[in-house]
Structure formats: structure tokens, C-alpha cells
């Protein structure tokens, strides 16, 4: 990637220069070198903005937001998720715009701004209308449920979370299934239903262990493949 970057810079190719910065930033992010990742993604964002490539500007804005979120800089993360979502809505990319609005809502939940979170998650639903993506739908439903629970709208929250759980179970999405059980456990604890909270807490731990095992097996397989090659 560094060689490619050098070549594109020499050639004066601004689009491929920006793309090279984005690729290098992705490597840094994978290796948790957040400062380096942020620098590269910012270069990519500026480059795609300069050449007026809205789709890739939005993509790198989302990448920058992910870095800021990992650093705990939630206001900055929110700002860049918003830039990504606004840009994607302008060009009619509703599916990716929905993901960006979902991320905005998730940040607002982290900031205990539940009403704002709910509004953003509802916008994500609107954008995703007609799209058959049960995994993303499950994620939105569980986060909507979490926002509603914090707003003490418990019946609506339970309905959202059970919808999320059903979709995750039908689709075989283990992480989303674990998330739904965790949020249902929290909901029932808020409602004073200790027995139900315990049932879902046990299910959450079961599915979390399964996700952890899958991730470890994938890592071992990857390391083995590298060793054998």
C-alpha cells in the first residue's frame, strides 16, 4: 500500500492517492494503531472531498467515526457518522445511510441521550424500508428497544427486543442473538422481573461464549494457514 501511495502521489492521481490512504488506515485500525489510522483516514477524507466523490467521502467519514469511537471521543464520532449519513442520503444510498444513522443512534445511547437515539434509529428504519437485511433489522430493533427501555416505555421496548431476537434466531446471527438476550435481561431487571432477567442473562452468556469460540477458531485457522504457507 505504501508503494502504491508513493506511485499515485508521483503521478498526481488524487483519487487513488486518497484510496491508498484509506487502505493504509484500515490496516492501522485492524492493528489498533488508532493515531496512525486517524491520520490516514483524514487524508483519505480530504482527498475524496477534493475530488467530489461523495460515496467514498462518506465511507472514510464512517471510518474516522469508528476511530473516534474507539478512542472514546463520542462527540467527534457522532459528527462524522452524521456527515456520512447526510452524504449518503443526498446520493440516494439508503441502505448505507441507514447504517450510518444506526451508528449515530448507538452513540447517542452511549451518551444517555435516549430520545435522540430513538429518533435516529427510527430514521434508520425508514431508510431501510423494503431492504431484506435481517441482520441489520435485528440490530436496529434491539437498539430501539434499549432506547425505549431507558425512556420507561417498557411494553414497546419488549416488543422491539423480541422482534430482534426472533430475527437473529431465524437468521443464525449469534452476536445479534446475544445482544438481544442481554438487552432483554436489562429490560426485565428495570421492570423488577428478576426471574425473566436471569433467564435472558444465562442465554446471553451462552451465546456470547459461542461467538467468542467462533472468533477464536477463525483466528486459529488464519494463523495456521499463514504458518503452512
Amino acid at each position: 500500500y505504501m508503494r502504491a501511495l508513493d506511485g499515485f502521489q508521483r503521478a498526481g492521481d488524487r483519487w487513488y492517492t486518497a484510496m491508498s490512504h484509506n487502505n493504509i488506515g484500515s490496516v492501522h485500525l485492524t492493528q489498533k494503531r488508532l493515531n496512525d489510522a486517524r491520520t490516514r483516514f483524514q487524508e483519505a477524507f480530504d482527498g475524496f472531498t477534493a475530488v467530489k466523490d461523495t460515496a467514498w467521502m462518506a465511507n472514510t467519514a464512517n471510518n474516522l467515526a469508528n476511530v473516534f469511537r474507539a478512542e472514546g471521543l463520542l462527540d467527534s464520532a457522532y459528527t462524522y457518522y452524521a456527515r456520512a449519513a447526510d452524504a449518503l442520503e443526498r446520493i440516494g444510498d439508503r441502505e448505507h445511510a441507514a447504517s450510518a444513522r444506526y451508528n449515530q443512534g448507538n452513540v447517542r445511547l452511549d451518551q444517555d441521550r435516549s430520545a435522540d437515539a430513538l429518533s435516529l434509529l427510527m430514521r434508520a428504519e425508514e431508510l431501510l424500508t423494503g431492504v431484506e437485511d435481517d441482520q441489520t433489522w435485528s440490530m436496529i430493533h434491539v437498539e430501539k428497544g434499549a432506547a425505549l427501555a431507558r425512556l420507561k416505555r417498557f411494553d414497546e421496548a419488549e416488543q422491539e427486543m423480541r422482534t430482534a431476537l426472533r430475527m437473529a434466531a431465524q437468521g443464525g446471527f449469534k452476536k445479534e442473538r446475544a445482544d438481544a438476550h442481554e438487552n432483554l435481561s436489562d429490560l426485565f431487571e428495570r421492570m423488577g422481573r428478576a426471574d425473566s432477567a436471569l433467564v435472558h442473562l444465562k442465554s446471553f452468556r451462552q451465546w456470547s461464549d459461542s461467538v467468542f469460540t467462533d472468533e477464536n477458531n477463525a483466528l486459529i485457522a488464519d494463523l495456521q494457514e499463514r504458518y503452512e504457507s
Side-chain angles (χ1 to χ4, degrees):
Y1 287 141
M2 292 298 295
R3 289 182 180 178
L5 173 62
D6 182 62
F8 293 134
Q9 285 177 324
R10 289 174 182 274
D13 190 320
R14 300 175 75 183
W15 192 93
Y16 276 106
T17 294
M19 181 59 72
S20 296
H21 281 300
N22 188 61
N23 290 338
I24 295 167
S26 296
V27 173
H28 285 314
L29 183 58
T30 300
Q31 298 175 341
K32 302 190 184 306
R33 297 199 294 264
L34 299 181
N35 286 337
D36 292 332
R38 184 179 351 103
T39 298
R40 294 296 181 176
F41 287 141
Q42 188 65 60
E43 291 279 0
F45 178 81
D46 293 343
F48 287 126
T49 300
V51 299
K52 296 180 170 55
D53 188 324
T54 303
W56 275 103
M57 181 273 287
N59 181 287
T60 51
N62 193 75
N63 289 340
L64 274 166
N66 290 338
V67 173
F68 286 128
R69 191 167 187 184
E71 294 176 318
L73 302 173
L74 297 183
D75 285 337
S76 296
Y78 179 87
T79 296
Y80 275 89
Y81 283 136
R83 288 185 181 185
D86 291 346
L88 291 164
E89 286 203 42
R90 282 198 303 271
I91 63 174
D93 187 343
R94 296 173 64 88
E95 187 170 357
H96 288 104
S99 294
R101 295 297 181 206
Y102 165 86
N103 287 332
Q104 283 184 273
N106 200 266
V107 169
R108 285 300 190 232
L109 275 178
D110 287 346
Q111 296 175 315
D112 289 326
R113 296 176 60 173
S114 302
D116 289 344
L118 182 59
S119 177
L120 287 159
L121 293 163
M122 291 175 68
R123 179 55 183 160
E125 276 189 323
E126 292 174 11
L127 290 166
L128 210 60
T129 299
V131 176
E132 295 184 6
D133 183 349
D134 285 351
Q135 188 170 22
T136 301
W137 275 109
S138 176
M139 292 164 61
I140 292 173
H141 282 301
V142 80
E143 294 300 302
K144 272 188 70 182
L148 289 162
R150 295 182 191 184
L151 294 168
K152 302 187 185 306
R153 293 163 60 177
F154 295 137
D155 289 343
E156 295 171 83
E158 182 176 355
Q159 182 178 355
E160 292 288 343
M161 291 177 188
R162 289 198 181 281
T163 298
L165 181 59
R166 174 178 54 78
M167 297 180 82
Q170 290 177 346
F173 309 125
K174 293 183 179 180
K175 183 180 183 303
E176 286 69 28
R177 191 167 184 174
D179 289 343
H181 281 299
E182 182 182 27
N183 279 274
L184 279 163
S185 179
D186 178 71
L187 171 65
F188 289 131
E189 186 175 349
R190 289 173 184 267
M191 297 170 69
R193 294 167 56 180
D195 289 349
S196 295
L198 181 59
V199 168
H200 285 284
L201 180 60
K202 289 180 178 177
S203 294
F204 161 65
R205 289 175 176 168
Q206 172 191 340
W207 287 103
S208 292
D209 288 345
S210 180
V211 170
F212 179 75
T213 298
D214 288 349
E215 290 175 348
N216 271 354
N217 287 341
L219 178 60
I220 290 169
D222 180 58
L223 291 172
Q224 185 174 1
E225 182 178 347
R226 292 185 191 181
Y227 175 78
E228 291 176 349
S229 63

